[in-house]
Amino acid sequence: MEMKFKFLGGAEMVGRMGMTIEGAGKTLLVEYGMSPTKPPEYPQPISTRIDHMLLTHCHLDHCGMVPQICGRDRCELFTTPLSAEVGEIMMYDSLKIAKAENYPLPYTTGDIERTMRNVVPMTFGDTFELGKIEVTMHHAGHVPGAAMFEFGVDTKTLYSGDIHTLRQRLVDGARPVDCENLFIEGTYGGRYHPERKSVEKEFLDKVAEVVDRGGTVLIPSFAVGRTQELMILLKNAGYEMWVDGMGRSVTRMFLDYPEYLADAKALKVAKRKFNEVRNANMRKDAGRAEVIVTTGGMLDGGPVLGYLKRLKDNPKNAVLIVGYQAEDTNGRLLMEEGCVKIDGEIQKINCEIQKYDFSAHADHGEIVDFVKACNPRNVIIMHSETRESFLDDLADYNVILPNTGETFTLDV
């Protein structure tokens, strides 16, 4: 059967994902996210009615605009219960930020409420039918609860979402699925991660070095996945450690769904080793600690700027960057120019700044290996600004590089 596919965002770019699938009497929407720029960037609008929606995971660039469609069309939303619960926090936070920054509101609280009422919770290995389309959910290995979707009609089509194929401390890696058509993320096209154990050792050594010289280690971190990964890594370090921001709530949600974790016991232990900031007075105590893990990961929001303002002028302190820093963010400004915008003013950061690769995405070689193990005929590369870098390594496959807004067809 021939079906139509169209990316509304996230094809030749990282972020604001969204893809429609039309055929068999159905119109499906797979993800609908936003890019957390200033102002936010959204996927192309959808004028047709969506029958069903599928969400791979709860990061903002995949879930951030879901309420606009589910609120309008009252369509079912298929995802894991963990992605739904964490996604709800992200959606409300997006509204909060839009109001604070005077951006046009992309949806309402009522849209979020309707979205959550229409969640159909599914888990890995579950199969459900959407008309003639059979959909199976698989583990994606990116963050807890992240899924890949396998669509079965006459053949098999796999949509990866964001994936990691190696085991992390927080979550196991994705496994290949035999398919005819493979939609695969290419975020790290042309780039390779350093060996994770080496990164972890360098990171822990730097933390020890800063603490030994009497400084404080400030770790701006994404609330969903990265905060918990680092808490597990640091759990036996023996320092006075605090965690602040949305990551606290997300950790509790993760522990409510231990089946999505590689080692739930390790995260429980880590949670006990960290003091949690619950009010402004506790934040003062945290500011004098040896290690602070806090949102936001790109230094544009959350408690991190308050800590940075206090710590920035002492060269004994250090800011350890542990995630991707998008363009036009404070994090990118810090990495490129050694300064950030605080209280509307550009301020120089005089403490040590280091970056470590703790990516939860597969790198170039891991993506190529995953493709070969799935053994598809057609490979559709998305979520990437460097897709052409895969062409030589995937010369044995029919590689499709669609553009946003472009409709293409596949036999499925």
Side-chain angles (χ1 to χ4, degrees), residues 204-250:
L204 291 173
D205 287 348
K206 177 56 66 175
V207 172
E209 176 188 323
V210 176
V211 172
D212 286 347
R213 72 189 182 210
T216 293
V217 178
L218 178 63
I219 307 171
S221 186
F222 303 128
V224 183
R226 195 62 43 83
T227 288
Q228 297 76 26
E229 181 82 8
L230 293 171
M231 288 172 65
I232 295 173
L233 177 60
L234 288 162
K235 66 182 174 62
N236 296 321
Y239 307 123
E240 182 190 354
M241 301 183 294
W242 288 74
V243 60
D244 197 354
M246 189 191 297
R248 297 182 299 112
S249 300
V250 174

Side-chain angles (χ1 to χ4, degrees), residues 4 47 75 84 115 122 135-136 154 210 228 246 258 284 294 311 320-321 380 389 397:
K4 295 179 180 179
S47 56
C75 54
T115 297
M122 309 296 290
V135 185
T136 302
D154 297 326
V210 176
Q228 297 76 26
M246 189 191 297
K284 292 178 181 178
T294 180
L311 300 172
L320 305 188
I321 302 295
I380 303 91
S389 64
Y397 305 90

Side-chain angles (χ1 to χ4, degrees), residues 14 59 141-143 162-169 171 185-189 191-196 199-200 222 224-226 229-230 321-325 355-364 366-367 383:
V14 175
H59 278 151
H142 176 57
V143 294
D162 290 350
I163 64 168
H164 202 317
T165 59
L166 302 181
R167 180 186 172 104
Q168 304 172 68
R169 290 177 180 266
V171 67
E185 69 129 317
T187 308
Y188 277 82
R191 292 178 289 166
Y192 294 82
H193 300 314
E195 200 268 330
R196 178 60 72 99
V199 174
E200 291 180 347
F222 303 128
V224 183
R226 195 62 43 83
E229 181 82 8
L230 293 171
I321 302 295
V322 293
Y324 173 72
Q325 305 300 311
K355 187 175 189 300
Y356 298 88
D357 184 349
F358 283 97
S359 177
H361 292 266
D363 70 12
H364 182 100
E366 292 156 3
I367 293 167
H383 203 274

Side-chain angles (χ1 to χ4, degrees), residues 63-84:
C63 78
M65 290 293 285
V66 167
Q68 188 181 89
I69 304 305
C70 286
R72 181 194 73 184
D73 294 346
R74 291 169 169 77
C75 54
E76 293 177 316
L77 175 62
F78 293 87
T79 191
T80 61
L82 177 54
S83 291

